[in-house]
Amino acid sequence: MVELVNLFENPLNLPVEKLYLKVKRLNSKYLEVKAIDKYWVKQLYYPCYLSVPTTEENVVKWMNMAENYIKSLQFLRSLSFHKFWSYLFFEEQVAELLESFLREAPACYMPQPNKQFEEHYNKIYRLIFSIYKRIITPMESEDKFITPAYLGKMLYDNRIITNAILWDLARIFGYSNGENLAGMIKLILEIAPELVKELEVSLSCFNNIFVAVTNAAYECDNLNERQLSNITGLLYDTAVSINMFLRLSPTFVQICINEKFYNKIIHMYDAELPNLYSTLYHVLPTNDHTAFGELDKSRIEFLESCHRLCSYCLDIMLQSQTETIDQQNTWIDKYLDIIESSLSQKVFLIDFDAVYPISQDIEILSAICTNIDHTRFNNITKMLTEAKMKETNNHINEDTDIPAEAYNYEDIIVPEDVMLESKISEVKEVFPDLGEGFIERCLVSYDLDSQQVTMAILEDNLPPEIAELDRSLPRIPPETEHEFEPTPGTSAQDSVTFGFIGKKPSEYKDLADMLNDKLHVKEQKKRFTNYSLLPEEQDMYDDDYDDSNNGPVFLVMDRDTDDMQNLLPNRNRSGRRADAEPSDQEDEDEDTEETTSVQGHSKNAFCEDPAVIRARREARYQQRQPNRPRDVVGKAKGQGQEKTVIQNRDNKNTHKSSRANHNRRAGAQWKRNRGMMPS
C-alpha cells in the first residue's frame, strides 16, 4: 500500500497533539491519523556514538561510525514538525542515539579531539546541540507548535530530558553556547517542574562526592597514583559542573541558597582540600603532577561558585529597590549568611577576599541600605581584618567596645622582613604547593602585592622570567647585619668567628682529661661567694667572730651551770672549742682540767656519743608535741566535714593494720611478756 497524499494542514492552528492529518492510499479513502503517532515512524538503524580513539588502530572504525552517525542526525533534524515528535516519542533508539554522544563526548574544559577528528566531531557537536534546541522549543511557527505542558510531560515521562542530561548539556556546551543553553534550561524547568525537584536531589549527590573525596584523603596508604588522579579528576569535574550550572540557571542558584549548599562548599574548601594536598604530596612522585593542577582549578571553581551566590543576592536586592523594604532585607540577610558562614573558615575567607573583595560589597550595601542595623556589617569587617592581620600580630582586641572603624591599619609601621613573610604566608595559604622562594620572587616582581600575585598565578599570567623558575623553590632568609658587627673595643677582624673544615679540634686530650676538668666548679663557687651564700670557714670557726646580730636574741646563762654544760657539750669550760689551738700559757690549766670528769662523762671523751645526742633531741621533741587525739568523727551527716577530719579518717584507715585487732601476734606477745597467758 503506497501513500499518495501526506500534506500537513492546520487551518485552525491546533497544537499538534490534538491535530489529525489526512492520508490517502491506493484503493482506499482518506484516512485520518494523529499528527504525533507511531504511524509516521519507520524502522531504521541508529548507531551509537563512540569516543575518539587514542590509537591509530581504531581510526578507520571511528570514521565510519562518525559518517553513519552524522547521517542519522541529519535525517532526524530534517523531519517535519509532527514526524520529528513522533520519532522522538515512539522510537526509543532515537533517545539512545542522542544520549550516547552526551556520555562519550569530552567536557568543554577537557582537551578536545585533534585535527584528524576535528571536522567530523565539530559537525556532530553542532547537530546534537541543534536537535536538543529543537526538542526544548515548543513552537516553530503559528501552525506548528505543541502545548508546553504536554511537551514537558512527554519529555519527562519518556526520559528524553532528565536531570543527568541537563548536567551533561551544561558540561559539554556550557562555554561555547552558554546564552542559548541558559534559555533552554530555563524553558525546560518551566514546562517540566519535576526537574526542579531532581535538581534539589542532585545536591545530595554532590555531598556524597565530597564525602567520598574526604574519605580518600585519609586513606592515602591504600591508594595508588592512578586512584588519586581519578579522585582529583572527579572533584574537578564536580566543581566545574556546579559552577557552570550556577552560571546557566538562576533556579539552581536559588536552590543552593535555600538549601545552604554553600556551607558544604566552604567546608570542603577549608577543611578537606588541605588534607588532599597533603595526601598527594606523600603519594605522588613529583609536584608537577596533573592532580595538583586539577586541585588548584577546583579551588578556583569553588570560589567562583560562592561568588555567584553572593552576586545573585546583591543583584536581586538592587533590582528590588522599588519594592518593599522587607524584600530587600530578606536578600541582604541571605548574602550576610553566606559571608558569615565563611568567617570561621580562615583559609576560604582569605582566599575569597583576595579574589573577590568583600569590603566592596559591604560598602555598597552600607550606602544603599541606610535603614538596617550595621552590627553584622561591622562584625564581618572586624573578623575579616583579624584574619588578614593575623600574620603581623596586629589583632583587634575583642574585649573592648571599640568599633572596627577606629583601627587605622594603614598607620601601622611593619618591618620589611615581617611584611615580606606576611605576604608570603598569604599567598602560601592559597597555593600550599608552591615554594616560599618562588612566592618571594613573584612578590618582588609585583611590588609585594599579594592580590596581584594570586590573580597572576590563578590566570597563569606570570612574567616569563618568573614562570621559568622552579615552583618548589625554597626561600633562603637573608643574614642579619648584627651578626657581623664588631663589639665595642674590638676590630671587625677580631670579632669574626672562624669555622673548621672537618672535625673541630678538642681542647681536651682524652675523656679522663675532660672529666678531671673542674673549672666549672670553681666558677660556680666564685659566683655564689659574690652573692654571700657560702660563708667562709674562718668565719664559722673563728672565736672572735661576732654573730650576736645574725639571729634572734636568747637569754645568756651562767657558764658554770649544768644547763650551760649540757647546751655546749662540745666546748670546754673556758668557752673555746675543743679543736681551737690553745696558747702556751693555757696548756697547763687544760691538762689539769682534762683529768676531771664533767657530769659523769669520761675525761678522755672528746665529744658525746651521737646516739645519746639523738636520743636527747627526740625526748625534747616528744615533750613539745601535744598529746591530742585526732578527730575522726566530725560533724553530723549532711553538714559537711572539715579538711582535717577527712585527713584523719584517711590516716586512720591507712594505718589501721598496725593496731587493734589487725596485729594479733604483737598483742599476744605483749601479754606473754606480762604473764597474762601461758607461753
Side-chain angles (χ1 to χ4, degrees), residues 617-657:
R617 291 178 178 175
E618 181 65 22
R620 289 199 302 267
Y621 175 79
Q622 293 296 337
Q623 291 177 1
R624 291 195 299 267
Q625 294 296 326
N627 189 15
R628 58 179 182 274
R630 296 185 175 182
D631 183 13
V632 296
V633 178
K635 301 179 183 179
K637 185 176 181 180
Q639 298 181 4
Q641 304 297 336
E642 296 181 356
K643 183 177 180 181
T644 55
V645 175
I646 297 176
Q647 292 177 349
N648 294 339
R649 289 178 179 177
D650 182 68
N651 183 70
K652 178 180 178 181
N653 182 61
T654 303
H655 300 88
K656 66 182 180 181
S657 60

Side-chain angles (χ1 to χ4, degrees), residues 499-510:
F500 294 91
I501 300 177
K503 185 177 180 181
K504 182 178 180 180
S506 176
E507 58 183 357
Y508 302 106
K509 297 180 180 180
D510 50 15

Side-chain angles (χ1 to χ4, degrees), residues 226-273:
R226 181 177 180 181
Q227 291 173 331
L228 281 176
S229 299
N230 293 336
I231 291 173
T232 55
L234 174 62
L235 182 63
Y236 178 44
D237 185 79
T238 303
V240 173
S241 299
I242 294 174
N243 186 26
M244 182 65 66
F245 218 85
L246 288 173
R247 184 171 68 91
L248 298 174
S249 176
T251 304
F252 184 65
V253 176
Q254 294 182 5
I255 293 174
C256 292
I257 294 175
N258 295 334
E259 298 295 331
K260 295 185 178 181
F261 185 67
Y262 49 82
N263 289 329
K264 304 294 184 181
I265 297 177
I266 294 173
H267 177 75
M268 184 67 195
Y269 188 100
D270 192 275
E272 307 306 338
L273 282 184

Side-chain angles (χ1 to χ4, degrees), residues 253-500:
V253 176
Q254 294 182 5
I255 293 174
C256 292
I257 294 175
N258 295 334
E259 298 295 331
K260 295 185 178 181
F261 185 67
Y262 49 82
N263 289 329
K264 304 294 184 181
I265 297 177
I266 294 173
H267 177 75
M268 184 67 195
Y269 188 100
D270 192 275
E272 307 306 338
L273 282 184
N275 295 331
L276 193 56
Y277 270 109
S278 177
T279 302
L280 294 180
Y281 278 120
H282 287 85
V283 176
L284 298 182
T286 58
N287 295 340
D288 58 350
H289 197 276
T290 56
F292 288 100
E294 290 176 343
L295 276 188
D296 294 339
K297 295 176 183 178
S298 300
R299 296 170 61 189
I300 299 173
E301 297 294 333
F302 284 142
L303 292 175
E304 189 173 353
S305 298
C306 292
H307 176 64
R308 292 190 186 279
L309 299 178
C310 296
S311 300
Y312 182 82
C313 296
L314 294 178
D315 293 341
I316 297 298
M317 187 273 300
L318 295 176
Q319 294 174 5
S320 61
Q321 289 186 15
T322 58
E323 300 179 5
T324 60
I325 298 177
D326 294 338
Q327 292 180 348
Q328 290 187 10
N329 294 340
T330 300
W331 288 104
I332 292 175
D333 292 338
K334 292 182 179 181
Y335 169 81
L336 295 178
D337 289 340
I338 299 174
I339 300 301
E340 290 175 345
S341 299
S342 64
L343 294 180
S344 59
Q345 311 292 340
K346 302 301 182 183
V347 176
F348 176 85
L349 180 63
I350 295 176
D351 294 354
F352 185 82
D353 183 72
V355 183
Y356 308 104
I358 301 176
S359 58
Q360 296 181 2
D361 296 339
I362 297 296
E363 292 177 0
I364 295 174
L365 293 176
S366 301
I368 296 176
C369 307
T370 57
N371 56 345
I372 65 174
D373 186 11
H374 292 266
T375 304
R376 299 177 69 181
F377 292 166
N378 296 337
N379 184 45
I380 292 174
T381 304
K382 180 179 178 181
M383 296 294 292
L384 180 61
T385 306
E386 287 182 357
K388 294 169 65 176
M389 298 300 296
K390 181 179 180 181
E391 299 298 331
T392 55
N393 295 326
N394 292 324
H395 296 280
I396 297 177
N397 187 4
E398 297 180 354
D399 298 332
T400 62
D401 296 330
I402 303 177
E405 293 80 2
Y407 291 87
N408 187 6
Y409 292 99
E410 297 179 356
D411 296 338
I412 298 177
I413 301 176
V414 183
E416 293 183 0
D417 54 345
V418 177
M419 179 63 69
L420 179 59
E421 293 179 359
S422 175
K423 297 295 183 180
I424 293 176
S425 301
E426 292 179 7
V427 181
K428 188 75 173 177
E429 290 180 353
V430 184
F431 304 100
D433 57 313
L434 299 181
E436 293 186 358
F438 178 77
I439 297 175
E440 181 181 8
R441 298 286 185 87
C442 296
L443 289 171
V444 173
S445 178
Y446 285 92
D447 297 331
L448 300 182
D449 192 340
S450 59
Q451 293 186 4
Q452 292 187 10
V453 172
T454 303
M455 292 300 298
I457 297 176
L458 290 175
E459 298 174 357
D460 197 12
N461 191 23
L462 293 171
E465 63 275 8
I466 301 297
E468 295 176 356
L469 296 176
D470 183 10
R471 299 209 168 195
S472 60
L473 184 67
R475 177 174 180 259
I476 302 176
E479 298 289 346
T480 55
E481 298 179 357
H482 66 273
E483 294 180 358
F484 302 98
E485 292 180 356
T487 56
T490 61
S491 62
Q493 183 177 2
D494 297 336
S495 61
V496 175
T497 302
F498 295 95
F500 294 91

